[in-house]
C-alpha cells in the first residue's frame, strides 16, 4: 500500500512536470526573457521530470516552475544546480500561508519563529540558509523580479547553497512566493561521524583505536580549546565543531604529516552550537 501510494504521487508529479515543460517550450518568450538557451531549457525540463520521482511527492506547478527557472539561470551563470528539499518546502509553505494571511510580505511576523528555527522544525539540516519572498501575478514575473533585485539575485545564484524548497500560494488575486535556499548537512549518527573522521586520519597512515570511549569523554567535557595538551596520557588532544566533515580542520593535516604520531582515538559528542537551527558535529581526536 505504501509503495503504491509513492508511485501514484510520483506519477502525478511527473504529469505536472511534463505540463510545465510543455508550457515552457511553447512560451519561448519566457526563456528568452531570462537569457537562457534552448538546450538549457531542455536540460531543466529533463531534471524537472525526475524531480517528483526523487522526492516521492508531487510539487505544485507554480513552485516547480520557479524551481526550474532557478536552475536554468544558475546553469547559465555557471552555478551548480539546486536539489529539491522537501523539509525546506514545508517550511516555505508554512511561511507563505502566513504571508497570505498577513497581507504585506515579510520574512518574519510578530510571534513567528525566525527562518532558521522554522526550517529546523520542518526537519531541515543546514549550515547556511537564506530566503527570498515575493508576490506577483505569475511565477515567471516573480522569478524575474528576484533576478532584477541585487539581494534576491545574490540568494538565488549563491554558489554556497545546494538545496531549495519553494512554496507558492494564491491570495487576493496574486501569487505569494517563498524560496528557502540552504547548504544541506547530511544527517549522521555518532558512529557515522566517528567512522568518517577516522577514515580521513587512517588515510594518512595512522592506526585508529577501536574503542572511542576516551575521545568521547574528552569531547563531552566541554573544552572550548581547539588544542589541549595532556602529556601524561597523549601527545595531542583536539576537539572541534563543524558542519563539513569531508576534510580535517586546517592545520591538523600538517600536524599528522609531521610524523610525530602513530595512532589516534576518535570520538563524537553532542555539539555545543550557539546558533539555533544550524546543524554541526562535534569531534574529538586524541593522538599518540
Amino acid at each position: 500500500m505504501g509503495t503504491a501510494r509513492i508511485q501514484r504521487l510520483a506519477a502525478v508529479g511527473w504529469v505536472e512536470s511534463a505540463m510545465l515543460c510543455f508550457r515552457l517550450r511553447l512560451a519561448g518568450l519566457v526563456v528568452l526573457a531570462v537569457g537562457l538557451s534552448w538546450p538549457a531549457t531542455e536540460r531543466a525540463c529533463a531534471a524537472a521530470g525526475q524531480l517528483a520521482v526523487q522526492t516521492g511527492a508531487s510539487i505544485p506547478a507554480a513552485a516547480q516552475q520557479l524551481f526550474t527557472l532557478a536552475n536554468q539561470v544558475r546553469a547559465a551563470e555557471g552555478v551548480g544546480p539546486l536539489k529539491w528539499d522537501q523539509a525546506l518546502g514545508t517550511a516555505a509553505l508554512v511561511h507563505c500561508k502566513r504571508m497570505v494571511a498577513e497581507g504585506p510580505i515579510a520574512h518574519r511576523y510578530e510571534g513567528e519563529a525566525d527562518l532558521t528555527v522554522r526550517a529546523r522544525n520542518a526537519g531541515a539540516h543546514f549550515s547556511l540558509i537564506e530566503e527570498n519572498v515575493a508576490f506577483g501575478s505569475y511565477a515567471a514575473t516573480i522569478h524575474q523580479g528576484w533576478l532584477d533585485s541585487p539581494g534576491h539575485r545574490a540568494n538565488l545564484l549563491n554558489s554556497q547553497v545546494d538545496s531549495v524548497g519553494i512554496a507558492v500560494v494564491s491570495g487576493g488575486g496574486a501569487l505569494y512566493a517563498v524560496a528557502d535556499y540552504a547548504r544541506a548537512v547530511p544527517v549522521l549518527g555518532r558512529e557515522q561521524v566517528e567512522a568518517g573522521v577516522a577514515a580521513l586520519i587512517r588515510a594518512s597512515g595512522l592506526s585508529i583505536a577501536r574503542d572511542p570511549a576516551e575521545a568521547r569523554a574528552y569531547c563531552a567535557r566541554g573544552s572550548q580549546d581547539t588544542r589541549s595538551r595532556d602529556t601524561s596520557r597523549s601527545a595531542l588532544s583536539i576537539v572541534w565543531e563543524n558542519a563539513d566533515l569531508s576534510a580535517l580542520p586546517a592545520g591538523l593535516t600538517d600536524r599528522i604529516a609531521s610524523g610525530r604520531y602513530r595512532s589516534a582515538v576518535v570520538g563524537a559528542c553532542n555539539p555545543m552550537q550557539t546558533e539555533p537551527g544550524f546543524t554541526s558535529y562535534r569531534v574529538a581526536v586524541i593522538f599518540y
Side-chain angles (χ1 to χ4, degrees):
M1 179 175 168
T3 302
R5 181 172 181 271
I6 290 173
Q7 289 174 342
R8 179 179 177 275
L9 288 172
V12 171
W14 183 88
V15 170
E16 289 185 348
S17 300
M19 291 298 293
L20 168 62
C21 290
F22 178 71
R23 289 195 296 271
L24 286 176
R25 289 180 180 122
L26 286 180
L29 290 177
V30 173
V31 177
L32 294 176
V34 294
L36 300 172
S37 65
W38 190 262
T41 303
E42 293 299 310
R43 288 194 300 271
C45 286
Q50 295 298 318
L51 178 60
V53 176
Q54 294 170 355
T55 60
S58 62
I59 300 170
Q64 189 165 341
Q65 184 177 357
L66 285 173
F67 175 77
T68 301
L69 291 172
N71 274 337
Q72 283 180 343
V73 74
R74 284 173 70 91
E77 295 291 330
V79 183
L82 297 170
K83 302 184 296 292
W84 183 268
D85 187 301
Q86 191 58 45
L88 291 175
T90 298
L93 181 59
V94 170
H95 184 63
C96 199
K97 290 180 177 179
R98 182 69 181 267
M99 289 203 309
V100 173
E102 296 284 348
I105 63 174
H107 290 286
R108 186 180 185 183
Y109 297 99
E110 184 178 355
E112 183 185 32
D114 67 14
L115 171 60
T116 59
V117 176
R118 295 198 307 265
R120 180 199 63 194
N121 290 344
H125 295 265
F126 49 87
S127 60
L128 169 67
I129 191 166
E130 53 195 26
E131 181 176 79
N132 281 354
V133 299
F135 74 96
S137 300
Y138 304 99
T141 57
I142 289 173
H143 172 75
Q144 189 60 48
W146 284 341
L147 287 179
D148 293 339
S149 165
H152 294 86
R153 181 185 181 90
N155 286 348
L156 199 159
L157 296 178
N158 188 352
S159 62
Q160 297 302 307
V161 300
D162 56 18
S163 305
V164 68
I166 303 172
V168 181
V169 177
S170 62
L175 295 179
Y176 289 76
V178 177
D180 288 341
Y181 311 91
R183 184 172 186 84
V185 174
V187 182
L188 302 174
R190 181 167 63 175
E191 290 76 12
Q192 291 175 302
V193 172
E194 292 168 349
V197 174
L200 293 174
I201 297 174
R202 192 180 290 113
S204 299
L206 277 68
S207 62
I208 303 296
R210 291 186 177 182
D211 186 357
E214 185 180 6
R216 287 179 178 178
Y218 181 79
C219 183
R221 281 202 292 268
S223 172
Q224 295 299 311
D225 297 332
T226 56
R227 298 184 178 89
S228 177
R229 293 184 179 277
D230 183 353
T231 54
S232 65
R233 303 185 61 190
S234 66
L236 181 68
S237 300
I238 297 176
V239 59
W240 76 91
E241 191 168 321
N242 202 345
D244 183 7
L245 297 179
S246 63
L248 297 172
L252 180 57
T253 52
D254 293 337
R255 287 173 172 262
I256 294 174
S258 69
R260 295 173 55 191
Y261 315 113
R262 295 291 179 264
S263 63
V265 184
V266 179
C269 62
N270 291 332
M272 298 183 177
Q273 58 191 22
T274 57
E275 296 181 273
F278 293 93
T279 298
S280 64
Y281 299 101
R282 186 173 176 84
V283 187
V285 180
I286 301 175
F287 291 98
Y288 294 93

